Each structure stands twice: as C-alpha cells, then as structure tokens.
Amino acid sequence: MTLLCSEKDIAPGTSRGFSLGESSCFVVKNHDDEIYVYVNSCPHLGVELEWVADQFLDGEGQLIQCSTHGALFLVDSGECVAGPCLGQSLKPIPFSLQDGNIIIEHNAG
Ligand code: FES
C-alpha cells in the first residue's frame, strides 16, 4: 500500500507524478474534481509521458499529453484519441481515498 498524496494537493485541471521504485505513476484531477491514476508509460514507446515535472496535461488541462510525440489521451479512460498510439490506452492504477489521501494498493508497473 502506498500513499501518494492528499487529494487537496492537486488542483483541478492539474497533475502530479510519483516514483514507485522501478516504475512511476501520475495522478490527474479533472475540472470536476475527479481523480485518476495511471502508470507513467506511453503505450507508443513505453517512455514516461512528461517533459516538465508534474505536467501530464495539455495547455487547457483537458487531455493527457505525451511530450515525446504529442499523443493525447482521455483523462477518464486513458484512451489515446490522437497520435501514434491511437486506440491504445494508458494503464489505470486502482486507488482508494482514505481520509482525503490517495492510496494505491500495490505498485502496478
Ligand atoms: S512515445 Fe508517447 S507518443 Fe510517442
């Protein structure tokens, strides 16, 4: 079980990355305050998505963006809707909220 952060630490329309030892993940909060957690690995080449720390979203905070070739992913499903991995998806990580903290059960890699 790993505590990532308090859900209050992430503003709506922003994201944050976390190291999980061998792998890494990121948390996204959409503009409706809904939280999603994904493995930080682009389905195109298996590289980490962000170029600038904690920036996994496009300029409007609407879609997840891979910085390498610009693939765009839906925040709520992780599905790629534009770019070289069209139709493929980011891998979601199950999580729970406990006392406002985002907790993942195991290190999904
Ligand atoms: S590595 Fe992510 S779009 Fe190519």
Side-chain angles (χ1 to χ4, degrees):
M1 194 164 100
T2 303
L3 191 160
L4 296 181
C5 66
S6 166
E7 62 100 9
K8 289 192 211 114
D9 293 344
I10 303 178
T14 70
S15 55
R16 196 160 151 187
F18 297 90
S19 172
L20 296 175
E22 297 286 297
S23 62
S24 61
C25 71
F26 62 97
V27 177
V28 176
K29 185 187 275 185
N30 69 12
H31 291 289
D32 294 323
D33 270 349
E34 294 165 333
I35 292 168
Y36 301 88
V37 185
Y38 291 102
V39 177
N40 185 4
S41 177
C42 180
H44 181 213
L45 294 181
V47 299
E48 296 189 341
L49 281 86
E50 84 280 30
W51 182 58
V52 176
D54 296 330
Q55 293 198 12
F56 293 86
L57 294 168
D58 64 357
E60 290 79 43
Q62 299 285 0
L63 293 166
I64 298 165
Q65 183 168 40
C66 177
S67 60
T68 303
H69 305 111
L72 294 169
F73 305 86
L74 298 177
V75 168
D76 61 353
S77 67
E79 182 186 349
C80 179
V81 291
C85 42
L86 186 66
Q88 294 180 260
S89 293
L90 298 167
K91 185 177 176 193
I93 297 179
F95 68 95
S96 59
L97 286 174
Q98 294 175 23
D99 298 327
N101 293 314
I102 303 168
I103 311 264
I104 59 174
E105 295 303 323
H106 54 88
N107 292 354

